[in-house]
mmCIF file of all heavy atoms in Angstrom:
data_model
loop_
_atom_site.group_PDB
_atom_site.id
_atom_site.type_symbol
_atom_site.label_atom_id
_atom_site.label_comp_id
_atom_site.label_asym_id
_atom_site.label_seq_id
_atom_site.Cartn_x
_atom_site.Cartn_y
_atom_site.Cartn_z
ATOM 1 N N GLU A 60 -0.520 -9.808 16.264
ATOM 2 C CA GLU A 60 -0.042 -10.741 17.284
ATOM 3 C C GLU A 60 -0.398 -12.154 16.767
ATOM 4 O O GLU A 60 0.397 -13.141 17.123
ATOM 5 C CB GLU A 60 -0.573 -10.487 18.799
ATOM 6 C CG GLU A 60 0.426 -9.576 19.572
ATOM 7 C CD GLU A 60 -0.247 -9.065 20.787
ATOM 8 O OE1 GLU A 60 -0.929 -9.814 21.519
ATOM 9 O OE2 GLU A 60 0.013 -7.939 21.135
ATOM 10 N N GLU A 61 -1.554 -12.201 16.362
ATOM 11 C CA GLU A 61 -2.043 -13.625 15.998
ATOM 12 C C GLU A 61 -1.469 -14.082 14.684
ATOM 13 O O GLU A 61 -1.086 -15.342 14.458
ATOM 14 C CB GLU A 61 -3.559 -13.441 15.769
ATOM 15 C CG GLU A 61 -4.226 -14.906 15.496
ATOM 16 C CD GLU A 61 -5.785 -14.783 15.150
ATOM 17 O OE1 GLU A 61 -6.332 -13.608 15.216
ATOM 18 O OE2 GLU A 61 -6.382 -15.799 14.909
ATOM 19 N N VAL A 62 -1.236 -13.149 13.691
ATOM 20 C CA VAL A 62 -0.784 -13.694 12.344
ATOM 21 C C VAL A 62 0.559 -13.180 11.955
ATOM 22 O O VAL A 62 1.104 -13.429 10.913
ATOM 23 C CB VAL A 62 -1.868 -13.256 11.235
ATOM 24 C CG1 VAL A 62 -3.125 -14.002 11.435
ATOM 25 C CG2 VAL A 62 -2.014 -11.763 11.134
ATOM 26 N N GLY A 63 1.227 -12.451 12.775
ATOM 27 C CA GLY A 63 2.449 -11.724 12.497
ATOM 28 C C GLY A 63 3.537 -12.711 12.020
ATOM 29 O O GLY A 63 4.232 -12.435 10.984
ATOM 30 N N ARG A 64 3.666 -13.723 12.677
ATOM 31 C CA ARG A 64 4.789 -14.653 12.329
ATOM 32 C C ARG A 64 4.654 -15.293 10.817
ATOM 33 O O ARG A 64 5.544 -15.193 10.067
ATOM 34 C CB ARG A 64 4.867 -15.932 13.202
ATOM 35 C CG ARG A 64 6.103 -15.742 14.253
ATOM 36 C CD ARG A 64 6.086 -16.889 15.167
ATOM 37 N NE ARG A 64 6.113 -18.150 14.414
ATOM 38 C CZ ARG A 64 6.599 -19.331 14.997
ATOM 39 N NH1 ARG A 64 7.059 -19.391 16.192
ATOM 40 N NH2 ARG A 64 6.515 -20.452 14.405
ATOM 41 N N GLU A 65 3.458 -15.672 10.533
ATOM 42 C CA GLU A 65 3.145 -16.090 9.317
ATOM 43 C C GLU A 65 3.351 -15.098 8.225
ATOM 44 O O GLU A 65 3.831 -15.446 7.064
ATOM 45 C CB GLU A 65 1.650 -16.638 9.314
ATOM 46 C CG GLU A 65 1.487 -18.073 8.770
ATOM 47 C CD GLU A 65 0.006 -18.476 8.777
ATOM 48 O OE1 GLU A 65 -0.646 -18.334 9.910
ATOM 49 O OE2 GLU A 65 -0.615 -18.728 7.835
ATOM 50 N N ILE A 66 2.922 -13.899 8.531
ATOM 51 C CA ILE A 66 2.954 -12.819 7.553
ATOM 52 C C ILE A 66 4.465 -12.543 7.280
ATOM 53 O O ILE A 66 4.889 -12.165 6.182
ATOM 54 C CB ILE A 66 2.075 -11.581 8.048
ATOM 55 C CG1 ILE A 66 0.708 -11.870 7.754
ATOM 56 C CG2 ILE A 66 2.516 -10.351 7.265
ATOM 57 C CD1 ILE A 66 -0.227 -10.857 8.147
ATOM 58 N N ARG A 67 5.302 -12.326 8.339
ATOM 59 C CA ARG A 67 6.677 -12.156 8.114
ATOM 60 C C ARG A 67 7.287 -13.166 7.161
ATOM 61 O O ARG A 67 8.137 -12.785 6.404
ATOM 62 C CB ARG A 67 7.507 -12.271 9.528
ATOM 63 C CG ARG A 67 7.446 -11.053 10.322
ATOM 64 C CD ARG A 67 8.240 -11.247 11.659
ATOM 65 N NE ARG A 67 7.859 -10.325 12.665
ATOM 66 C CZ ARG A 67 8.356 -9.067 12.695
ATOM 67 N NH1 ARG A 67 9.147 -8.609 11.790
ATOM 68 N NH2 ARG A 67 7.918 -8.298 13.740
ATOM 69 N N GLU A 68 6.859 -14.421 7.237
ATOM 70 C CA GLU A 68 7.451 -15.439 6.358
ATOM 71 C C GLU A 68 7.036 -15.155 4.898
ATOM 72 O O GLU A 68 7.789 -15.330 4.047
ATOM 73 C CB GLU A 68 6.959 -16.940 6.777
ATOM 74 C CG GLU A 68 7.741 -17.406 7.968
ATOM 75 C CD GLU A 68 7.012 -18.605 8.520
ATOM 76 O OE1 GLU A 68 6.283 -19.344 7.819
ATOM 77 O OE2 GLU A 68 7.369 -18.886 9.742
ATOM 78 N N ALA A 69 5.801 -14.772 4.758
ATOM 79 C CA ALA A 69 5.247 -14.490 3.357
ATOM 80 C C ALA A 69 5.878 -13.227 2.747
ATOM 81 O O ALA A 69 6.242 -13.233 1.512
ATOM 82 C CB ALA A 69 3.714 -14.257 3.551
ATOM 83 N N ILE A 70 6.124 -12.302 3.661
ATOM 84 C CA ILE A 70 6.884 -11.083 3.145
ATOM 85 C C ILE A 70 8.334 -11.429 2.796
ATOM 86 O O ILE A 70 8.777 -11.017 1.758
ATOM 87 C CB ILE A 70 6.947 -9.958 4.280
ATOM 88 C CG1 ILE A 70 5.432 -9.364 4.470
ATOM 89 C CG2 ILE A 70 7.858 -8.805 3.979
ATOM 90 C CD1 ILE A 70 5.448 -8.409 5.527
ATOM 91 N N GLU A 71 8.957 -12.312 3.673
ATOM 92 C CA GLU A 71 10.318 -12.640 3.372
ATOM 93 C C GLU A 71 10.443 -13.376 2.024
ATOM 94 O O GLU A 71 11.423 -13.118 1.269
ATOM 95 C CB GLU A 71 10.775 -13.708 4.623
ATOM 96 C CG GLU A 71 12.183 -14.087 4.531
ATOM 97 C CD GLU A 71 13.237 -12.894 4.852
ATOM 98 O OE1 GLU A 71 12.836 -12.081 5.448
ATOM 99 O OE2 GLU A 71 14.328 -13.137 4.463
ATOM 100 N N GLU A 72 9.433 -14.141 1.632
ATOM 101 C CA GLU A 72 9.415 -14.788 0.431
ATOM 102 C C GLU A 72 9.404 -13.885 -0.769
ATOM 103 O O GLU A 72 10.140 -14.121 -1.783
ATOM 104 C CB GLU A 72 8.285 -15.754 0.371
ATOM 105 C CG GLU A 72 8.427 -17.074 -0.314
ATOM 106 C CD GLU A 72 7.197 -17.891 -0.253
ATOM 107 O OE1 GLU A 72 6.883 -18.330 0.851
ATOM 108 O OE2 GLU A 72 6.521 -18.059 -1.361
ATOM 109 N N VAL A 73 8.550 -12.793 -0.583
ATOM 110 C CA VAL A 73 8.523 -11.952 -1.685
ATOM 111 C C VAL A 73 9.920 -11.016 -1.765
ATOM 112 O O VAL A 73 10.382 -10.801 -2.920
ATOM 113 C CB VAL A 73 7.401 -10.962 -1.494
ATOM 114 C CG1 VAL A 73 7.316 -9.742 -2.659
ATOM 115 C CG2 VAL A 73 6.005 -11.556 -1.325
ATOM 116 N N LEU A 74 10.379 -10.793 -0.552
ATOM 117 C CA LEU A 74 11.714 -10.086 -0.569
ATOM 118 C C LEU A 74 12.743 -10.797 -1.253
ATOM 119 O O LEU A 74 13.617 -10.215 -2.033
ATOM 120 C CB LEU A 74 12.131 -9.705 0.818
ATOM 121 C CG LEU A 74 11.188 -8.711 1.645
ATOM 122 C CD1 LEU A 74 11.769 -8.421 2.961
ATOM 123 C CD2 LEU A 74 10.815 -7.477 0.881
ATOM 124 N N LYS A 75 12.858 -12.161 -1.005
ATOM 125 C CA LYS A 75 13.808 -12.958 -1.622
ATOM 126 C C LYS A 75 13.642 -13.095 -3.115
ATOM 127 O O LYS A 75 14.669 -12.988 -3.872
ATOM 128 C CB LYS A 75 13.638 -14.422 -0.990
ATOM 129 C CG LYS A 75 14.467 -14.594 0.224
ATOM 130 C CD LYS A 75 14.486 -16.060 0.714
ATOM 131 C CE LYS A 75 14.878 -16.213 2.145
ATOM 132 N NZ LYS A 75 14.057 -17.393 2.740
ATOM 133 N N SER A 76 12.344 -13.010 -3.557
ATOM 134 C CA SER A 76 12.109 -13.174 -5.102
ATOM 135 C C SER A 76 12.324 -11.762 -5.736
ATOM 136 O O SER A 76 12.576 -11.794 -6.956
ATOM 137 C CB SER A 76 10.672 -13.673 -5.281
ATOM 138 O OG SER A 76 9.804 -12.597 -5.047
#
Side-chain angles (χ1 to χ4, degrees):
E60 271 168 36
E61 186 182 357
V62 296
R64 256 180 53 159
E65 232 180 303
I66 286 181
R67 274 182 202 280
E68 283 167 24
I70 291 173
E71 185 72 22
E72 214 175 292
V73 179
L74 297 184
K75 277 189 195 140
S76 77

